[in-house]
PDB file of all heavy atoms in Angstrom:
ATOM      1  N   SER A   1       0.818  -1.206   0.017  1.00  0.00           N
ATOM      2  CA  SER A   1      -0.011  -0.019  -0.005  1.00  0.00           C
ATOM      3  C   SER A   1       0.856   1.266  -0.052  1.00  0.00           C
ATOM      4  O   SER A   1       0.740   2.136   0.803  1.00  0.00           O
ATOM      5  CB  SER A   1      -0.963  -0.020   1.228  1.00  0.00           C
ATOM      6  OG  SER A   1      -1.793  -1.145   1.191  1.00  0.00           O
ATOM      7  N   ALA A   2       1.808   1.331  -0.856  1.00  0.00           N
ATOM      8  CA  ALA A   2       2.744   2.379  -1.035  1.00  0.00           C
ATOM      9  C   ALA A   2       3.145   2.595  -2.514  1.00  0.00           C
ATOM     10  O   ALA A   2       2.945   1.691  -3.345  1.00  0.00           O
ATOM     11  CB  ALA A   2       3.967   2.230  -0.122  1.00  0.00           C
ATOM     12  N   GLU A   3       3.682   3.741  -2.805  1.00  0.00           N
ATOM     13  CA  GLU A   3       4.202   4.056  -4.137  1.00  0.00           C
ATOM     14  C   GLU A   3       5.661   4.555  -4.051  1.00  0.00           C
ATOM     15  O   GLU A   3       5.986   5.298  -3.136  1.00  0.00           O
ATOM     16  CB  GLU A   3       3.362   5.136  -4.844  1.00  0.00           C
ATOM     17  CG  GLU A   3       1.938   4.778  -5.033  1.00  0.00           C
ATOM     18  CD  GLU A   3       1.178   5.804  -5.796  1.00  0.00           C
ATOM     19  OE1 GLU A   3       1.805   6.840  -6.266  1.00  0.00           O
ATOM     20  OE2 GLU A   3      -0.017   5.688  -5.986  1.00  0.00           O
ATOM     21  N   ILE A   4       6.496   3.984  -4.897  1.00  0.00           N
ATOM     22  CA  ILE A   4       7.915   4.368  -4.849  1.00  0.00           C
ATOM     23  C   ILE A   4       8.492   4.372  -6.238  1.00  0.00           C
ATOM     24  O   ILE A   4       8.086   3.481  -7.074  1.00  0.00           O
ATOM     25  CB  ILE A   4       8.672   3.351  -3.932  1.00  0.00           C
ATOM     26  CG1 ILE A   4      10.171   3.713  -3.843  1.00  0.00           C
ATOM     27  CG2 ILE A   4       8.472   1.931  -4.407  1.00  0.00           C
ATOM     28  CD1 ILE A   4      10.944   3.021  -2.783  1.00  0.00           C
ATOM     29  N   GLU A   5       9.305   5.288  -6.540  1.00  0.00           N
ATOM     30  CA  GLU A   5      10.017   5.325  -7.851  1.00  0.00           C
ATOM     31  C   GLU A   5      11.362   6.110  -7.741  1.00  0.00           C
ATOM     32  O   GLU A   5      11.612   6.795  -6.850  1.00  0.00           O
ATOM     33  CB  GLU A   5       9.090   5.923  -8.917  1.00  0.00           C
ATOM     34  CG  GLU A   5       8.921   7.436  -8.851  1.00  0.00           C
ATOM     35  CD  GLU A   5       8.045   7.955 -10.008  1.00  0.00           C
ATOM     36  OE1 GLU A   5       7.283   7.139 -10.590  1.00  0.00           O
ATOM     37  OE2 GLU A   5       8.224   9.110 -10.302  1.00  0.00           O
ATOM     38  N   HIS A   6      12.212   5.779  -8.740  1.00  0.00           N
ATOM     39  CA  HIS A   6      13.555   6.356  -8.832  1.00  0.00           C
ATOM     40  C   HIS A   6      14.256   6.262  -7.424  1.00  0.00           C
ATOM     41  O   HIS A   6      14.750   7.268  -6.923  1.00  0.00           O
ATOM     42  CB  HIS A   6      13.520   7.799  -9.295  1.00  0.00           C
ATOM     43  CG  HIS A   6      14.844   8.318  -9.699  1.00  0.00           C
ATOM     44  ND1 HIS A   6      15.397   9.463  -9.092  1.00  0.00           N
ATOM     45  CD2 HIS A   6      15.735   7.901 -10.652  1.00  0.00           C
ATOM     46  CE1 HIS A   6      16.595   9.670  -9.634  1.00  0.00           C
ATOM     47  NE2 HIS A   6      16.843   8.746 -10.606  1.00  0.00           N
ATOM     48  N   SER A   7      14.312   5.063  -6.929  1.00  0.00           N
ATOM     49  CA  SER A   7      14.886   4.850  -5.570  1.00  0.00           C
ATOM     50  C   SER A   7      15.622   3.499  -5.531  1.00  0.00           C
ATOM     51  O   SER A   7      15.429   2.647  -6.391  1.00  0.00           O
ATOM     52  CB  SER A   7      13.744   4.874  -4.541  1.00  0.00           C
ATOM     53  OG  SER A   7      13.228   6.111  -4.434  1.00  0.00           O
ATOM     54  N   ILE A   8      16.493   3.364  -4.474  1.00  0.00           N
ATOM     55  CA  ILE A   8      17.141   2.151  -4.170  1.00  0.00           C
ATOM     56  C   ILE A   8      16.742   1.755  -2.755  1.00  0.00           C
ATOM     57  O   ILE A   8      16.882   2.577  -1.819  1.00  0.00           O
ATOM     58  CB  ILE A   8      18.661   2.243  -4.270  1.00  0.00           C
ATOM     59  CG1 ILE A   8      19.070   2.563  -5.716  1.00  0.00           C
ATOM     60  CG2 ILE A   8      19.319   0.982  -3.825  1.00  0.00           C
ATOM     61  CD1 ILE A   8      20.558   2.829  -5.867  1.00  0.00           C
ATOM     62  N   VAL A   9      16.155   0.594  -2.549  1.00  0.00           N
ATOM     63  CA  VAL A   9      15.818   0.093  -1.276  1.00  0.00           C
ATOM     64  C   VAL A   9      16.653  -1.111  -0.973  1.00  0.00           C
ATOM     65  O   VAL A   9      16.633  -2.118  -1.677  1.00  0.00           O
ATOM     66  CB  VAL A   9      14.349  -0.289  -1.207  1.00  0.00           C
ATOM     67  CG1 VAL A   9      13.956  -0.726   0.223  1.00  0.00           C
ATOM     68  CG2 VAL A   9      13.463   0.979  -1.539  1.00  0.00           C
ATOM     69  N   LEU A  10      17.376  -1.099   0.152  1.00  0.00           N
ATOM     70  CA  LEU A  10      18.307  -2.209   0.444  1.00  0.00           C
ATOM     71  C   LEU A  10      17.476  -3.334   1.163  1.00  0.00           C
ATOM     72  O   LEU A  10      16.268  -3.172   1.467  1.00  0.00           O
ATOM     73  CB  LEU A  10      19.493  -1.692   1.363  1.00  0.00           C
ATOM     74  CG  LEU A  10      20.656  -1.207   0.488  1.00  0.00           C
ATOM     75  CD1 LEU A  10      20.270  -0.023  -0.300  1.00  0.00           C
ATOM     76  CD2 LEU A  10      21.816  -0.931   1.483  1.00  0.00           C
ATOM     77  N   GLU A  11      18.117  -4.417   1.514  1.00  0.00           N
ATOM     78  CA  GLU A  11      17.444  -5.587   2.016  1.00  0.00           C
ATOM     79  C   GLU A  11      16.762  -5.448   3.365  1.00  0.00           C
ATOM     80  O   GLU A  11      17.075  -4.561   4.139  1.00  0.00           O
ATOM     81  CB  GLU A  11      18.469  -6.802   2.179  1.00  0.00           C
ATOM     82  CG  GLU A  11      19.555  -6.599   3.130  1.00  0.00           C
ATOM     83  CD  GLU A  11      20.816  -6.083   2.625  1.00  0.00           C
ATOM     84  OE1 GLU A  11      20.739  -5.192   1.637  1.00  0.00           O
ATOM     85  OE2 GLU A  11      21.920  -6.383   3.131  1.00  0.00           O
ATOM     86  N   HIS A  12      15.736  -6.271   3.510  1.00  0.00           N
ATOM     87  CA  HIS A  12      14.962  -6.420   4.784  1.00  0.00           C
ATOM     88  C   HIS A  12      14.298  -5.112   5.203  1.00  0.00           C
ATOM     89  O   HIS A  12      14.218  -4.810   6.397  1.00  0.00           O
ATOM     90  CB  HIS A  12      15.913  -6.924   5.895  1.00  0.00           C
ATOM     91  CG  HIS A  12      16.482  -8.257   5.721  1.00  0.00           C
ATOM     92  ND1 HIS A  12      15.760  -9.391   5.822  1.00  0.00           N
ATOM     93  CD2 HIS A  12      17.751  -8.635   5.340  1.00  0.00           C
ATOM     94  CE1 HIS A  12      16.546 -10.418   5.519  1.00  0.00           C
ATOM     95  NE2 HIS A  12      17.766  -9.998   5.270  1.00  0.00           N
ATOM     96  N   CYS A  13      13.731  -4.284   4.231  1.00  0.00           N
ATOM     97  CA  CYS A  13      13.016  -3.130   4.482  1.00  0.00           C
ATOM     98  C   CYS A  13      11.572  -3.419   4.429  1.00  0.00           C
ATOM     99  O   CYS A  13      11.080  -4.201   3.618  1.00  0.00           O
ATOM    100  CB  CYS A  13      13.464  -2.031   3.543  1.00  0.00           C
ATOM    101  SG  CYS A  13      15.057  -1.305   3.868  1.00  0.00           S
ATOM    102  N   THR A  14      10.851  -2.591   5.217  1.00  0.00           N
ATOM    103  CA  THR A  14       9.321  -2.579   5.098  1.00  0.00           C
ATOM    104  C   THR A  14       8.883  -1.217   4.852  1.00  0.00           C
ATOM    105  O   THR A  14       9.202  -0.235   5.543  1.00  0.00           O
ATOM    106  CB  THR A  14       8.690  -3.085   6.421  1.00  0.00           C
ATOM    107  OG1 THR A  14       9.109  -4.493   6.646  1.00  0.00           O
ATOM    108  CG2 THR A  14       7.184  -2.943   6.422  1.00  0.00           C
ATOM    109  N   ILE A  15       8.065  -0.987   3.809  1.00  0.00           N
ATOM    110  CA  ILE A  15       7.505   0.291   3.411  1.00  0.00           C
ATOM    111  C   ILE A  15       6.027   0.096   3.202  1.00  0.00           C
ATOM    112  O   ILE A  15       5.654  -0.689   2.267  1.00  0.00           O
ATOM    113  CB  ILE A  15       8.204   0.971   2.150  1.00  0.00           C
ATOM    114  CG1 ILE A  15       9.649   1.103   2.456  1.00  0.00           C
ATOM    115  CG2 ILE A  15       7.504   2.239   1.826  1.00  0.00           C
ATOM    116  CD1 ILE A  15      10.413   1.511   1.211  1.00  0.00           C
ATOM    117  N   ARG A  16       5.200   0.662   4.109  1.00  0.00           N
ATOM    118  CA  ARG A  16       3.698   0.416   3.911  1.00  0.00           C
ATOM    119  C   ARG A  16       2.931   1.607   4.353  1.00  0.00           C
ATOM    120  O   ARG A  16       3.283   2.450   5.132  1.00  0.00           O
ATOM    121  CB  ARG A  16       3.328  -0.848   4.706  1.00  0.00           C
ATOM    122  CG  ARG A  16       3.540  -0.773   6.237  1.00  0.00           C
ATOM    123  CD  ARG A  16       2.472  -1.660   6.898  1.00  0.00           C
ATOM    124  NE  ARG A  16       2.686  -3.052   6.621  1.00  0.00           N
ATOM    125  CZ  ARG A  16       3.271  -3.970   7.403  1.00  0.00           C
ATOM    126  NH1 ARG A  16       3.900  -3.566   8.548  1.00  0.00           N
ATOM    127  NH2 ARG A  16       3.398  -5.180   7.129  1.00  0.00           N
ATOM    128  N   ASP A  17       1.722   1.638   3.753  1.00  0.00           N
ATOM    129  CA  ASP A  17       0.645   2.583   4.165  1.00  0.00           C
ATOM    130  C   ASP A  17       1.180   4.027   4.101  1.00  0.00           C
ATOM    131  O   ASP A  17       0.954   4.806   5.013  1.00  0.00           O
ATOM    132  CB  ASP A  17       0.165   2.259   5.527  1.00  0.00           C
ATOM    133  CG  ASP A  17      -0.468   0.873   5.620  1.00  0.00           C
ATOM    134  OD1 ASP A  17      -1.081   0.460   4.650  1.00  0.00           O
ATOM    135  OD2 ASP A  17      -0.350   0.239   6.709  1.00  0.00           O
ATOM    136  N   LEU A  18       1.811   4.425   3.036  1.00  0.00           N
ATOM    137  CA  LEU A  18       2.273   5.816   2.882  1.00  0.00           C
ATOM    138  C   LEU A  18       1.273   6.633   2.190  1.00  0.00           C
ATOM    139  O   LEU A  18       0.771   6.219   1.119  1.00  0.00           O
ATOM    140  CB  LEU A  18       3.653   5.819   2.199  1.00  0.00           C
ATOM    141  CG  LEU A  18       4.773   5.129   2.777  1.00  0.00           C
ATOM    142  CD1 LEU A  18       6.129   5.458   1.985  1.00  0.00           C
ATOM    143  CD2 LEU A  18       4.948   5.433   4.217  1.00  0.00           C
ATOM    144  N   PRO A  19       1.049   7.864   2.666  1.00  0.00           N
ATOM    145  CA  PRO A  19       0.023   8.734   2.045  1.00  0.00           C
ATOM    146  C   PRO A  19       0.580   9.406   0.738  1.00  0.00           C
ATOM    147  O   PRO A  19      -0.198   9.889  -0.051  1.00  0.00           O
ATOM    148  CB  PRO A  19      -0.282   9.745   3.094  1.00  0.00           C
ATOM    149  CG  PRO A  19       1.006   9.885   3.926  1.00  0.00           C
ATOM    150  CD  PRO A  19       1.515   8.447   3.925  1.00  0.00           C
ATOM    151  N   HIS A  20       1.886   9.377   0.581  1.00  0.00           N
ATOM    152  CA  HIS A  20       2.510  10.076  -0.662  1.00  0.00           C
ATOM    153  C   HIS A  20       3.544   9.165  -1.171  1.00  0.00           C
ATOM    154  O   HIS A  20       4.058   8.221  -0.554  1.00  0.00           O
ATOM    155  CB  HIS A  20       3.107  11.382  -0.200  1.00  0.00           C
ATOM    156  CG  HIS A  20       2.154  12.325   0.384  1.00  0.00           C
ATOM    157  ND1 HIS A  20       1.164  12.984  -0.241  1.00  0.00           N
ATOM    158  CD2 HIS A  20       2.092  12.768   1.722  1.00  0.00           C
ATOM    159  CE1 HIS A  20       0.449  13.733   0.610  1.00  0.00           C
ATOM    160  NE2 HIS A  20       1.028  13.633   1.797  1.00  0.00           N
ATOM    161  N   ARG A  21       3.831   9.434  -2.523  1.00  0.00           N
ATOM    162  CA  ARG A  21       4.884   8.671  -3.232  1.00  0.00           C
ATOM    163  C   ARG A  21       6.224   8.954  -2.656  1.00  0.00           C
ATOM    164  O   ARG A  21       6.655  10.049  -2.398  1.00  0.00           O
ATOM    165  CB  ARG A  21       4.752   8.962  -4.653  1.00  0.00           C
ATOM    166  CG  ARG A  21       5.775   8.174  -5.518  1.00  0.00           C
ATOM    167  CD  ARG A  21       5.561   8.331  -7.029  1.00  0.00           C
ATOM    168  NE  ARG A  21       4.240   7.864  -7.379  1.00  0.00           N
ATOM    169  CZ  ARG A  21       3.686   7.998  -8.679  1.00  0.00           C
ATOM    170  NH1 ARG A  21       4.423   8.532  -9.606  1.00  0.00           N
ATOM    171  NH2 ARG A  21       2.548   7.602  -8.886  1.00  0.00           N
ATOM    172  N   LEU A  22       7.086   7.828  -2.575  1.00  0.00           N
ATOM    173  CA  LEU A  22       8.446   7.961  -2.120  1.00  0.00           C
ATOM    174  C   LEU A  22       9.310   7.949  -3.391  1.00  0.00           C
ATOM    175  O   LEU A  22       9.152   7.037  -4.221  1.00  0.00           O
ATOM    176  CB  LEU A  22       8.778   6.812  -1.253  1.00  0.00           C
ATOM    177  CG  LEU A  22      10.146   6.716  -0.549  1.00  0.00           C
ATOM    178  CD1 LEU A  22      10.271   7.856   0.481  1.00  0.00           C
ATOM    179  CD2 LEU A  22      10.429   5.413   0.073  1.00  0.00           C
ATOM    180  N   GLU A  23      10.120   8.922  -3.486  1.00  0.00           N
ATOM    181  CA  GLU A  23      11.002   9.001  -4.752  1.00  0.00           C
ATOM    182  C   GLU A  23      12.325   9.604  -4.412  1.00  0.00           C
ATOM    183  O   GLU A  23      12.551  10.206  -3.408  1.00  0.00           O
ATOM    184  CB  GLU A  23      10.267   9.842  -5.842  1.00  0.00           C
ATOM    185  CG  GLU A  23       9.999  11.214  -5.460  1.00  0.00           C
ATOM    186  CD  GLU A  23       9.240  12.061  -6.510  1.00  0.00           C
ATOM    187  OE1 GLU A  23       8.616  11.380  -7.339  1.00  0.00           O
ATOM    188  OE2 GLU A  23       9.477  13.246  -6.608  1.00  0.00           O
ATOM    189  N   ASP A  24      13.243   9.427  -5.375  1.00  0.00           N
ATOM    190  CA  ASP A  24      14.623   9.911  -5.287  1.00  0.00           C
ATOM    191  C   ASP A  24      15.286   9.575  -3.923  1.00  0.00           C
ATOM    192  O   ASP A  24      15.909  10.418  -3.327  1.00  0.00           O
ATOM    193  CB  ASP A  24      14.620  11.448  -5.517  1.00  0.00           C
ATOM    194  CG  ASP A  24      14.070  11.905  -6.777  1.00  0.00           C
ATOM    195  OD1 ASP A  24      14.148  11.100  -7.718  1.00  0.00           O
ATOM    196  OD2 ASP A  24      13.399  12.961  -6.881  1.00  0.00           O
ATOM    197  N   SER A  25      15.110   8.320  -3.512  1.00  0.00           N
ATOM    198  CA  SER A  25      15.521   7.926  -2.179  1.00  0.00           C
ATOM    199  C   SER A  25      16.479   6.748  -2.179  1.00  0.00           C
ATOM    200  O   SER A  25      16.392   5.895  -3.044  1.00  0.00           O
ATOM    201  CB  SER A  25      14.290   7.655  -1.330  1.00  0.00           C
ATOM    202  OG  SER A  25      13.475   8.780  -1.148  1.00  0.00           O
ATOM    203  N   LEU A  26      17.413   6.741  -1.177  1.00  0.00           N
ATOM    204  CA  LEU A  26      18.272   5.596  -0.914  1.00  0.00           C
ATOM    205  C   LEU A  26      17.959   5.182   0.425  1.00  0.00           C
ATOM    206  O   LEU A  26      18.285   5.878   1.442  1.00  0.00           O
ATOM    207  CB  LEU A  26      19.739   5.983  -1.130  1.00  0.00           C
ATOM    208  CG  LEU A  26      20.779   4.991  -0.706  1.00  0.00           C
ATOM    209  CD1 LEU A  26      20.566   3.636  -1.544  1.00  0.00           C
ATOM    210  CD2 LEU A  26      22.219   5.543  -0.981  1.00  0.00           C
ATOM    211  N   ILE A  27      17.364   3.969   0.622  1.00  0.00           N
ATOM    212  CA  ILE A  27      16.917   3.501   1.843  1.00  0.00           C
ATOM    213  C   ILE A  27      17.799   2.338   2.367  1.00  0.00           C
ATOM    214  O   ILE A  27      18.017   1.351   1.628  1.00  0.00           O
ATOM    215  CB  ILE A  27      15.423   2.922   1.790  1.00  0.00           C
ATOM    216  CG1 ILE A  27      14.541   3.947   1.111  1.00  0.00           C
ATOM    217  CG2 ILE A  27      14.923   2.552   3.189  1.00  0.00           C
ATOM    218  CD1 ILE A  27      14.419   5.246   1.935  1.00  0.00           C
ATOM    219  N   GLY A  28      18.356   2.448   3.550  1.00  0.00           N
ATOM    220  CA  GLY A  28      19.331   1.489   4.106  1.00  0.00           C
ATOM    221  C   GLY A  28      18.747   0.200   4.491  1.00  0.00           C
ATOM    222  O   GLY A  28      17.500  -0.009   4.411  1.00  0.00           O
ATOM    223  N   ARG A  29      19.506  -0.661   5.031  1.00  0.00           N
ATOM    224  CA  ARG A  29      19.042  -2.015   5.466  1.00  0.00           C
ATOM    225  C   ARG A  29      18.176  -1.979   6.668  1.00  0.00           C
ATOM    226  O   ARG A  29      18.372  -1.093   7.570  1.00  0.00           O
ATOM    227  CB  ARG A  29      20.286  -2.846   5.726  1.00  0.00           C
ATOM    228  CG  ARG A  29      21.203  -3.104   4.560  1.00  0.00           C
ATOM    229  CD  ARG A  29      22.532  -3.685   4.928  1.00  0.00           C
ATOM    230  NE  ARG A  29      23.317  -4.028   3.708  1.00  0.00           N
ATOM    231  CZ  ARG A  29      24.097  -3.128   3.120  1.00  0.00           C
ATOM    232  NH1 ARG A  29      24.224  -1.902   3.604  1.00  0.00           N
ATOM    233  NH2 ARG A  29      24.805  -3.535   2.054  1.00  0.00           N
ATOM    234  N   HIS A  30      17.178  -2.917   6.766  1.00  0.00           N
ATOM    235  CA  HIS A  30      16.345  -3.101   7.895  1.00  0.00           C
ATOM    236  C   HIS A  30      15.581  -1.844   8.314  1.00  0.00           C
ATOM    237  O   HIS A  30      15.431  -1.608   9.532  1.00  0.00           O
ATOM    238  CB  HIS A  30      17.206  -3.602   9.129  1.00  0.00           C
ATOM    239  CG  HIS A  30      17.803  -5.006   8.863  1.00  0.00           C
ATOM    240  ND1 HIS A  30      17.158  -6.162   9.003  1.00  0.00           N
ATOM    241  CD2 HIS A  30      19.034  -5.276   8.347  1.00  0.00           C
ATOM    242  CE1 HIS A  30      18.010  -7.134   8.696  1.00  0.00           C
ATOM    243  NE2 HIS A  30      19.120  -6.699   8.320  1.00  0.00           N
ATOM    244  N   VAL A  31      15.190  -1.019   7.296  1.00  0.00           N
ATOM    245  CA  VAL A  31      14.493   0.176   7.648  1.00  0.00           C
ATOM    246  C   VAL A  31      12.955  -0.124   7.530  1.00  0.00           C
ATOM    247  O   VAL A  31      12.515  -0.859   6.640  1.00  0.00           O
ATOM    248  CB  VAL A  31      14.856   1.301   6.627  1.00  0.00           C
ATOM    249  CG1 VAL A  31      13.865   2.488   6.697  1.00  0.00           C
ATOM    250  CG2 VAL A  31      16.283   1.761   6.882  1.00  0.00           C
ATOM    251  N   GLU A  32      12.239   0.526   8.389  1.00  0.00           N
ATOM    252  CA  GLU A  32      10.738   0.383   8.392  1.00  0.00           C
ATOM    253  C   GLU A  32      10.154   1.814   8.272  1.00  0.00           C
ATOM    254  O   GLU A  32      10.423   2.691   9.067  1.00  0.00           O
ATOM    255  CB  GLU A  32      10.264  -0.269   9.668  1.00  0.00           C
ATOM    256  CG  GLU A  32       8.692  -0.468   9.635  1.00  0.00           C
ATOM    257  CD  GLU A  32       8.158  -1.300  10.784  1.00  0.00           C
ATOM    258  OE1 GLU A  32       9.011  -1.812  11.559  1.00  0.00           O
ATOM    259  OE2 GLU A  32       6.946  -1.378  10.928  1.00  0.00           O
ATOM    260  N   ILE A  33       9.326   2.031   7.200  1.00  0.00           N
ATOM    261  CA  ILE A  33       8.688   3.306   6.973  1.00  0.00           C
ATOM    262  C   ILE A  33       7.221   3.009   6.866  1.00  0.00           C
ATOM    263  O   ILE A  33       6.754   2.303   5.971  1.00  0.00           O
ATOM    264  CB  ILE A  33       9.177   3.956   5.641  1.00  0.00           C
ATOM    265  CG1 ILE A  33      10.676   4.099   5.672  1.00  0.00           C
ATOM    266  CG2 ILE A  33       8.552   5.282   5.451  1.00  0.00           C
ATOM    267  CD1 ILE A  33      11.239   4.621   4.329  1.00  0.00           C
ATOM    268  N   THR A  34       6.464   3.475   7.787  1.00  0.00           N
ATOM    269  CA  THR A  34       5.049   3.263   7.860  1.00  0.00           C
ATOM    270  C   THR A  34       4.299   4.543   8.340  1.00  0.00           C
ATOM    271  O   THR A  34       4.815   5.510   8.893  1.00  0.00           O
ATOM    272  CB  THR A  34       4.618   2.145   8.855  1.00  0.00           C
ATOM    273  OG1 THR A  34       4.979   2.548  10.200  1.00  0.00           O
ATOM    274  CG2 THR A  34       5.319   0.848   8.433  1.00  0.00           C
ATOM    275  N   ARG A  35       2.993   4.604   8.107  1.00  0.00           N
ATOM    276  CA  ARG A  35       2.158   5.691   8.653  1.00  0.00           C
ATOM    277  C   ARG A  35       1.631   5.229   9.981  1.00  0.00           C
ATOM    278  O   ARG A  35       0.947   4.216  10.090  1.00  0.00           O
ATOM    279  CB  ARG A  35       1.092   6.083   7.684  1.00  0.00           C
ATOM    280  CG  ARG A  35       0.157   7.192   8.134  1.00  0.00           C
ATOM    281  CD  ARG A  35      -0.689   7.662   7.058  1.00  0.00           C
ATOM    282  NE  ARG A  35      -1.595   6.600   6.541  1.00  0.00           N
ATOM    283  CZ  ARG A  35      -2.558   6.861   5.638  1.00  0.00           C
ATOM    284  NH1 ARG A  35      -2.762   8.108   5.247  1.00  0.00           N
ATOM    285  NH2 ARG A  35      -3.391   5.842   5.234  1.00  0.00           N
ATOM    286  N   SER A  36       1.821   6.032  10.950  1.00  0.00           N
ATOM    287  CA  SER A  36       1.335   5.704  12.283  1.00  0.00           C
ATOM    288  C   SER A  36      -0.155   5.954  12.398  1.00  0.00           C
ATOM    289  O   SER A  36      -0.642   7.103  11.973  1.00  0.00           O
ATOM    290  CB  SER A  36       2.050   6.518  13.327  1.00  0.00           C
ATOM    291  OG  SER A  36       1.519   6.234  14.578  1.00  0.00           O
ATOM    292  N   PRO A  37      -0.917   5.008  12.995  1.00  0.00           N
ATOM    293  CA  PRO A  37      -2.396   5.358  13.139  1.00  0.00           C
ATOM    294  C   PRO A  37      -2.739   6.215  14.364  1.00  0.00           C
ATOM    295  O   PRO A  37      -3.839   6.640  14.593  1.00  0.00           O
ATOM    296  CB  PRO A  37      -2.971   3.928  13.376  1.00  0.00           C
ATOM    297  CG  PRO A  37      -1.857   3.174  14.019  1.00  0.00           C
ATOM    298  CD  PRO A  37      -0.656   3.717  13.434  1.00  0.00           C
ATOM    299  N   ARG A  38      -1.683   6.467  15.135  1.00  0.00           N
ATOM    300  CA  ARG A  38      -1.916   7.203  16.389  1.00  0.00           C
ATOM    301  C   ARG A  38      -2.241   8.674  16.173  1.00  0.00           C
ATOM    302  O   ARG A  38      -1.735   9.309  15.204  1.00  0.00           O
ATOM    303  CB  ARG A  38      -0.747   7.005  17.360  1.00  0.00           C
ATOM    304  CG  ARG A  38      -0.555   5.666  17.856  1.00  0.00           C
ATOM    305  CD  ARG A  38       0.582   5.577  18.857  1.00  0.00           C
ATOM    306  NE  ARG A  38       1.830   5.821  18.221  1.00  0.00           N
ATOM    307  CZ  ARG A  38       3.007   5.817  18.856  1.00  0.00           C
ATOM    308  NH1 ARG A  38       3.036   5.581  20.112  1.00  0.00           N
ATOM    309  NH2 ARG A  38       4.173   5.972  18.193  1.00  0.00           N
ATOM    310  N   LYS A  39      -2.990   9.280  17.117  1.00  0.00           N
ATOM    311  CA  LYS A  39      -3.271  10.717  17.068  1.00  0.00           C
ATOM    312  C   LYS A  39      -2.867  11.295  18.341  1.00  0.00           C
ATOM    313  O   LYS A  39      -2.822  10.620  19.377  1.00  0.00           O
ATOM    314  CB  LYS A  39      -4.806  10.910  16.848  1.00  0.00           C
ATOM    315  CG  LYS A  39      -5.253  10.413  15.388  1.00  0.00           C
ATOM    316  CD  LYS A  39      -6.702  10.790  15.182  1.00  0.00           C
ATOM    317  CE  LYS A  39      -7.138  10.317  13.788  1.00  0.00           C
ATOM    318  NZ  LYS A  39      -8.578  10.673  13.569  1.00  0.00           N
ATOM    319  N   PRO A  40      -2.437  12.562  18.356  1.00  0.00           N
ATOM    320  CA  PRO A  40      -2.437  13.457  17.182  1.00  0.00           C
ATOM    321  C   PRO A  40      -1.379  13.059  16.209  1.00  0.00           C
ATOM    322  O   PRO A  40      -0.383  12.503  16.590  1.00  0.00           O
ATOM    323  CB  PRO A  40      -2.102  14.834  17.921  1.00  0.00           C
ATOM    324  CG  PRO A  40      -1.342  14.516  19.109  1.00  0.00           C
ATOM    325  CD  PRO A  40      -1.983  13.250  19.661  1.00  0.00           C
ATOM    326  N   LYS A  41      -1.659  13.457  14.965  1.00  0.00           N
ATOM    327  CA  LYS A  41      -0.745  13.088  13.943  1.00  0.00           C
ATOM    328  C   LYS A  41       0.635  13.927  14.081  1.00  0.00           C
ATOM    329  O   LYS A  41       0.592  15.092  14.358  1.00  0.00           O
ATOM    330  CB  LYS A  41      -1.335  13.451  12.550  1.00  0.00           C
ATOM    331  CG  LYS A  41      -2.513  12.590  12.161  1.00  0.00           C
ATOM    332  CD  LYS A  41      -3.017  12.815  10.785  1.00  0.00           C
ATOM    333  CE  LYS A  41      -4.119  11.884  10.426  1.00  0.00           C
ATOM    334  NZ  LYS A  41      -4.613  12.178   9.068  1.00  0.00           N
ATOM    335  N   ALA A  42       1.705  13.201  13.958  1.00  0.00           N
ATOM    336  CA  ALA A  42       2.986  13.822  14.135  1.00  0.00           C
ATOM    337  C   ALA A  42       4.065  13.002  13.490  1.00  0.00           C
ATOM    338  O   ALA A  42       3.866  11.857  13.246  1.00  0.00           O
ATOM    339  CB  ALA A  42       3.343  13.991  15.668  1.00  0.00           C
TER     340      ALA A  42
END
């Protein structure tokens, strides 16, 4: 449930539930990028 382009994602990463497209990015190993359901939003 995410969009990504023009990027390199290294091994064992999780990218989910992003409200916007991820681009022009270099993501290191074992990184988790998610949208938190908690409020207030921050």
Side-chain angles (χ1 to χ4, degrees):
S1 300
E3 299 184 5
I4 181 170
E5 69 178 28
H6 193 240
S7 295
I8 297 174
V9 179
L10 275 62
E11 66 266 32
H12 298 285
C13 286
T14 296
I15 300 173
R16 62 150 67 97
D17 298 328
L18 298 189
H20 304 288
R21 182 172 296 178
L22 187 67
E23 61 182 25
D24 302 331
S25 298
L26 174 57
I27 309 298
R29 298 168 174 84
H30 298 275
V31 170
E32 184 172 352
I33 305 174
T34 63
R35 180 170 59 176
S36 173
R38 292 183 293 179
K39 293 184 179 182
K41 292 183 177 179

